[in-house]
Amino acid sequence: MGMAAQRISISILLLLLCIFSVSVPSYTKHLPSSQAQALLGVQKLLNYPPVLSNWNASTDFCNIEPTPSLTVVCYEKSITQLHIFGNKGTPSFPQNFSVESFFNTLVGLPTLKVLSLVSLGLWGTLPSNISRLSSLEILNISSNFFYGDIPQEISSLTSLQTLILDNNLFTGRVPVWLSDLPVLTVLSLRNNSLTGYLPNSLSSLENLRVLALSMNRLSGQVPDLSSLRNLQVLDLEDNYFGPQFPSLGSKLVSLVMRKNRFSSAIDAEVSSYYQLEQLDISFNRFVGPFPPALLSLPSITYLNISGNKFTGMLLENMSCNAELGFVDLSSNLLTGRLPTCLLTGSKNRVIRYARNCLATADQNQHPFFFCRNEALAVGIIPSKQNKPRRAAKAMLALITVGGVLAGIALVGLIIFLVVRRENAKKMIKTPPPRSITENVSTGYSSKLLSDARYISQTMRLGALGLPSYRAFSLEELEGATNNFHSSAFLGEGSHGQMYRGRLSDGSLVAIRCLKVKGRHSTQNFMHHIELILKLRHHHLVSSLGHCFECYLDDSSVSRIFLIFEYVPNGTLRGHISEGPAGQKLTWAQRIAAVVGVAKGIQYLHTGIVPGVFSNNLKITDILLDQSLVAKISSYNLPLLTENMGKTVSNSFVPLVCRTKHEDKIDVYDFGVILLEIIVGRSITSRNEVDIVKDQLQVGIMADDAARRSIVDPEVREGCSDESLKTVMDICYRTLSNDPTERPSVEDVLWNLQFAAQVQEEWGGDSGSTEGSPVSPCQPPPLQLTSH
């Protein structure tokens, strides 16, 4: 039995050895087995993508033919470079995918110097074990779904020369520890969600040649980068930098500061940037004279200063670089004549100069006084040629004398008002009774008139085309509504009944009827009326007047009637998601509508004191007039909320810090309106908002085709990609659950106006299905010089 057992054991052992010899992979002789195993592990963890489908145990990895999607480079039988490029449409990995395990597998390539993992759908926080790839010199993990902070462990990769993290979801700040990477030459963090100020430590990266931070949420002053003598590319587009022009080195080849908040004059040093090929400072708030020397910089080929407040006179005899292929001077305050050199030369040159005050009938020019008045409004004195210093001194003297005289006049006015007030107190010991038909518009309060903002606002009321605010009699309203007949009834909500009426002059009005709880005199409501009469704006359904109905026994108010302008063209939703196919608003019209809504919200918040917040904004409360001008029809009048004994609330808004962040409540509600504008269908629940919001986030990071798949088919082919992406991005940010993370109304308005401008230049609302034309705005690729 012992011998038999021994023979059986030997036989089993031999069988196992045979099986083992068959199952062990035959790794390439040219590569250590550990590195081959690491590559096969990468293949498995990436779920066997098509680009790696041919890999197997017998693959000679060092001799794989390179393709645009895959490159493996070996040196002395070790892998030194690995480049894998996937498709943006690659399906996401299973929920149990671990990005930490993935990088642990890559650690099996200890000699790896270059690692590119682009558009592979990788997701998660970038793990700390990336520090174990200690030989890395170039790291490119762009177009994935990495989120969270950029890990500090990257600072231990002291040989790192290029760090590209573009098109991910990184948050937090630009790391201070980047200065620990002594040989870093390229830093690209485009299209993430980074916030806060730039660290001053960036100025110590002496070898830096490319700094790309576009399409984040960075803010504040750009640190002094003049010490970066090798910097050739600086891309700060689409952030919140400003207000001062940054201090930079003179070897820049490309400077892009488009779509920020710079509001200073342009640095004179820019005129000495002799290597500068591309300068784009468009859509900021730059002021002061435009430096004509920019047109003649020896290397300049692309110049865009549009959408600023630059002043100055252009002359026909100004010089410009013959290689200048694109110039956009539009939407500034320039006068004079277009330089002849821009109109001659290359036929392929693109010149834009609309919305200035140039002496030409081309491209929609403003009259001269427009630029002068706008310049004065922002504190710019229009420049005059050869103006003597003597005249400047005389002007200064006149301003000084004028200031003194104005001060004396102001003191006299104050004394006069004080004396008048004291006399009034002596003459009037009791206020006179007010009748129901009192016209409030003739009696603005002294507090209202003490603020010049409101004086100027009341002077502009006539521009709305509305009659003066006044008190109506009950008889007028009964006549306008045929004694409040059922045919005039529009509906009833939490804030009373609504009627449509026609006044004796033929004008239509909307009348809101409120029943008053308790016993109150007309005087109790007058401070509310003083607020209501100020609510007159181009993008509000404006108030026209009021009427008090009183009890006969004690003259207390029984009902209040508020009279508003009547807007007959239906709701915004009716023109977006409920309208007949082919008759819905175009993309440009939709942007114009929401720009109007944003202006209305801005006026409610800042145009009057106290501001009106928590307005329970809904797309069904946005009305369109005959010219498709959007007007907010329902807003939070204190008279309504106090009378009803409750506050207005919106079921969409997360109940967080409701009173602390009142302005951001309206921003969230506006985001829901934007969402419906984009997708073209009704959104009726908070859960649906969250679902579509997640789709937006993916769409923002995706390519043009994937982004358009989210959009209403009615406008899908009629919008430019940049305009669409801008609207989607600002919409996504307005819907943040944290009120402090939502943008201000001013930020929202600025972004929407930018989207409108881009759409106008693209000209895609013609109904063409050809897609976006090739834009001449895109500069040619830059060739960096070596040193």
Side-chain angles (χ1 to χ4, degrees):
M1 286 289 295
M3 290 295 294
Q6 188 175 11
R7 290 192 189 99
I8 293 173
S9 298
I10 292 173
S11 301
I12 293 174
L13 179 60
L14 290 173
L15 179 61
L16 290 174
L17 287 173
C18 292
I19 295 173
F20 181 78
S21 64
V22 172
S23 62
V24 171
S26 176
Y27 292 110
T28 173
K29 297 177 182 179
H30 304 289
L31 196 65
S33 60
S34 60
Q35 295 190 32
Q37 286 177 331
L39 290 178
L40 293 174
V42 166
Q43 179 193 39
K44 180 180 179 181
L45 288 168
L46 290 179
N47 203 19
Y48 301 95
V51 65
L52 308 182
S53 59
N54 294 327
W55 283 4
N56 55 54
S58 60
T59 300
D60 185 358
F61 292 103
C62 290
N63 290 305
I64 294 176
E65 187 70 23
T67 69
S69 300
L70 175 65
T71 300
V72 180
V73 177
C74 297
Y75 179 73
E76 293 185 348
K77 299 183 180 181
S78 290
I79 295 178
T80 57
Q81 297 187 35
L82 176 61
H83 305 262
I84 308 176
F85 292 80
N87 297 317
K88 290 188 176 180
T90 300
S92 58
F93 300 118
Q95 290 294 322
N96 60 357
F97 172 79
S98 169
V99 71
E100 186 168 0
S101 298
F102 180 78
F103 276 90
N104 272 335
T105 302
L106 289 172
V107 171
L109 306 174
T111 57
L112 198 61
K113 294 181 180 296
V114 180
L115 176 62
S116 298
L117 304 169
V118 179
S119 298
L120 297 179
L122 298 173
W123 59 273
T125 57
L126 190 57
S128 59
N129 58 5
I130 193 172
S131 62
R132 298 173 62 187
L133 297 171
S134 56
S135 298
L136 274 185
E137 297 177 1
I138 297 176
L139 175 62
N140 180 2
I141 56 171
S142 57
S143 299
N144 285 291
F145 299 98
F146 290 106
Y147 55 84
D149 293 340
I150 301 172
Q152 186 171 356
E153 286 75 11
I154 291 179
S155 64
S156 64
L157 304 177
T158 54
S159 299
L160 200 62
Q161 300 175 25
T162 297
L163 178 60
I164 303 176
L165 308 178
D166 298 345
N167 301 306
N168 279 286
L169 304 172
F170 286 109
T171 54
R173 295 176 174 255
V174 174
V176 176
W177 48 257
L178 287 169
S179 57
D180 296 337
L181 301 173
V183 294
L184 193 64
T185 59
V186 176
L187 175 62
S188 189
L189 309 175
R190 291 185 176 104
N191 200 12
N192 282 282
S193 297
L194 301 172
T195 56
Y197 298 162
L198 287 184
N200 292 325
S201 58
L202 288 178
S203 60
S204 65
L205 294 171
E206 297 179 355
N207 296 298
L208 202 61
R209 294 173 59 196
V210 176
L211 178 57
L213 304 170
S214 60
M215 292 179 284
N216 280 284
R217 302 173 193 173
L218 301 168
S219 59
Q221 183 62 34
V222 178
D224 187 343
L225 302 179
S226 58
S227 61
L228 303 183
R229 303 187 183 279
N230 297 309
L231 189 63
Q232 296 182 12
V233 175
L234 178 61
D235 183 2
L236 306 177
E237 179 181 351
D238 197 2
N239 281 286
Y240 301 99
F241 290 121
Q244 296 298 317
F245 194 95
S247 181
L248 305 170
S250 60
K251 293 185 178 180
L252 280 169
V253 176
S254 173
L255 175 57
V256 180
M257 297 162 51
R258 187 174 192 254
K259 202 179 175 188
N260 276 280
R261 290 182 170 181
F262 295 104
S263 56
S264 64
I266 190 171
D267 194 333
E269 292 294 320
V270 178
S271 299
S272 64
Y273 291 178
Y274 297 121
Q275 297 182 33
L276 193 63
E277 298 177 11
Q278 176 190 0
L279 176 62
D280 189 342
I281 55 174
S282 58
F283 296 102
N284 280 282
R285 304 164 189 175
F286 283 112
V287 297
F290 163 65
L294 295 180
L295 294 169
S296 57
L297 286 174
S299 302
I300 196 74
T301 61
Y302 181 98
L303 176 64
N304 191 344
I305 66 163
S306 63
N308 285 289
K309 299 276 185 187
F310 284 118
T311 60
M313 179 178 290
L314 300 183
L315 303 175
E316 289 180 301
N317 61 356
M318 286 179 173
S319 60
C320 56
N321 190 324
E323 300 299 319
L324 194 55
F326 179 88
V327 180
D328 193 343
L329 310 175
S330 58
S331 298
N332 280 287
L333 305 174
L334 302 174
T335 58
R337 295 183 179 277
L338 204 65
T340 304
C341 63
L342 293 178
L343 301 176
T344 58
S346 173
K347 294 182 179 180
N348 295 323
R349 177 180 290 165
V350 177
I351 307 296
R352 295 176 178 169
Y353 46 88
R355 295 177 293 279
N356 281 286
C357 299
L358 298 172
T360 175
D362 295 339
Q363 297 196 19
N364 186 24
Q365 300 297 312
H366 296 297
F368 173 79
F369 65 82
F370 173 86
C371 291
R372 176 181 174 83
N373 293 344
E374 287 291 306
L376 293 173
V378 293
I380 307 170
I381 305 299
S383 58
K384 295 184 179 180
Q385 301 297 323
N386 302 321
K387 184 177 180 179
R389 292 187 179 182
R390 196 182 316 167
K393 291 181 179 179
M395 180 65 71
L396 180 61
L398 286 173
I399 292 173
T400 304
V401 172
V404 172
L405 292 176
I408 294 172
L410 179 61
V411 172
L413 178 61
I414 293 173
I415 294 173
F416 170 76
L417 291 175
V418 170
V419 171
R420 182 178 176 182
R421 183 177 179 181
E422 291 300 319
N423 290 337
K425 286 182 177 179
K426 295 176 182 178
M427 295 174 61
I428 307 174
K429 295 185 178 181
T430 57
R434 297 187 181 183
S435 65
I436 297 176
T437 58
E438 178 190 3
N439 192 338
V440 182
S441 64
T442 62
Y444 289 101
S445 67
S446 59
K447 180 180 179 182
L448 176 65
L449 294 177
S450 67
D451 193 325
R453 249 193 329 170
Y454 300 138
I455 296 176
S456 63
Q457 178 64 29
T458 57
M459 291 173 64
R460 291 198 298 267
L461 291 181
L464 297 179
L466 297 175
S468 300
Y469 187 97
R470 67 183 179 90
F472 288 80
S473 67
L474 182 58
E475 290 75 13
E476 282 183 276
L477 302 185
E478 289 174 341
T481 59
N482 192 19
N483 289 322
F484 296 99
H485 191 269
S486 59
S487 61
F489 184 68
L490 294 176
E492 183 172 9
S494 59
H495 298 318
Q497 298 172 329
M498 289 294 295
Y499 292 87
R500 178 177 56 190
R502 185 182 296 274
L503 301 178
S504 57
D505 62 1
S507 60
L508 291 173
V509 293
I511 304 169
R512 186 188 297 274
C513 174
L514 303 171
K515 293 182 179 180
V516 177
K517 296 180 179 181
R519 296 280 180 164
H520 303 279
S521 68
T522 57
Q523 188 65 32
N524 295 131
F525 295 104
M526 290 315 297
H527 67 289
H528 290 303
I529 296 300
E530 287 185 350
L531 172 61
I532 293 171
L533 65 85
K534 291 183 287 186
L535 292 171
R536 295 162 70 84
H537 187 269
H538 190 53
H539 294 290
L540 299 181
V541 176
S542 300
S543 56
L544 303 179
H546 71 279
C547 172
F548 291 134
E549 182 184 24
C550 297
Y551 293 107
L552 295 177
D553 53 353
D554 61 357
S555 296
S556 62
V557 178
S558 60
R559 288 194 297 179
I560 301 175
F561 298 91
L562 300 178
I563 297 86
F564 296 90
E565 62 176 315
Y566 183 75
V567 183
N569 204 18
T571 69
L572 182 56
R573 173 175 283 176
H575 290 265
I576 299 294
S577 59
E578 296 177 351
Q583 298 183 22
K584 297 180 181 179
L585 296 184
T586 65
W587 181 249
Q589 290 170 329
R590 296 182 190 206
I591 298 179
V594 291
V595 165
V597 177
K599 288 180 178 179
I601 297 171
Q602 184 185 42
Y603 178 76
L604 289 171
H605 287 187
T606 63
I608 56 176
V609 176
V612 179
F613 301 96
S614 302
N615 288 288
N616 193 27
L617 299 166
K618 295 189 289 289
I619 195 170
T620 51
D621 292 326
I622 309 301
L623 305 181
L624 300 180
D625 68 8
Q626 294 89 336
S627 302
L628 298 181
V629 173
K631 295 175 179 284
I632 303 173
S633 68
S634 178
Y635 34 87
N636 185 18
L637 294 177
L639 176 62
L640 304 182
T641 55
E642 288 185 16
N643 184 55
M644 299 307 298
K646 58 184 179 181
T647 58
V648 178
S649 63
N650 189 326
S651 59
F652 283 168
V653 181
L655 297 175
V656 180
C657 304
R658 182 168 290 280
T659 57
K660 186 177 180 181
H661 301 288
E662 285 184 317
D663 58 329
K664 298 302 179 70
I665 295 174
D666 287 339
V667 169
Y668 185 96
D669 289 346
F670 182 73
V672 177
I673 295 173
L674 271 182
L675 209 57
E676 193 160 323
I677 289 290
I678 295 169
V679 300
R681 65 176 186 272
S682 300
I683 296 176
T684 57
S685 70
R686 175 70 195 284
N687 182 57
E688 192 173 1
V689 170
D690 291 338
I691 292 172
V692 182
K693 174 187 169 185
D694 291 341
Q695 294 173 352
L696 275 192
Q697 184 180 21
V698 175
I700 292 168
M701 305 299 300
D703 57 13
D704 182 28
R707 196 156 34 245
R708 290 178 189 272
S709 67
I710 305 171
V711 180
D712 182 2
E714 289 282 332
V715 296
R716 187 173 293 167
E717 301 300 328
C719 56
S720 79
D721 184 53
E722 187 170 12
S723 175
L724 173 60
K725 188 174 181 180
T726 300
V727 175
M728 291 175 82
D729 179 68
I730 195 64
C731 176
Y732 177 78
R733 291 194 278 138
T734 60
L735 297 174
S736 172
N737 288 333
D738 183 356
T740 61
E741 293 293 324
R742 297 171 199 159
S744 66
V745 174
E746 289 72 23
D747 290 337
V748 172
L749 181 57
W750 194 96
N751 278 273
L752 292 176
Q753 288 173 327
F754 170 78
Q757 175 78 18
V758 170
Q759 180 66 19
E760 179 185 353
E761 293 178 356
W762 182 79
D765 270 347
S766 60
S768 170
T769 59
E770 298 299 322
S772 175
V774 177
S775 173
C777 304
Q778 297 302 322
L782 295 166
Q783 299 296 324
L784 301 184
T785 59
S786 58
H787 300 280

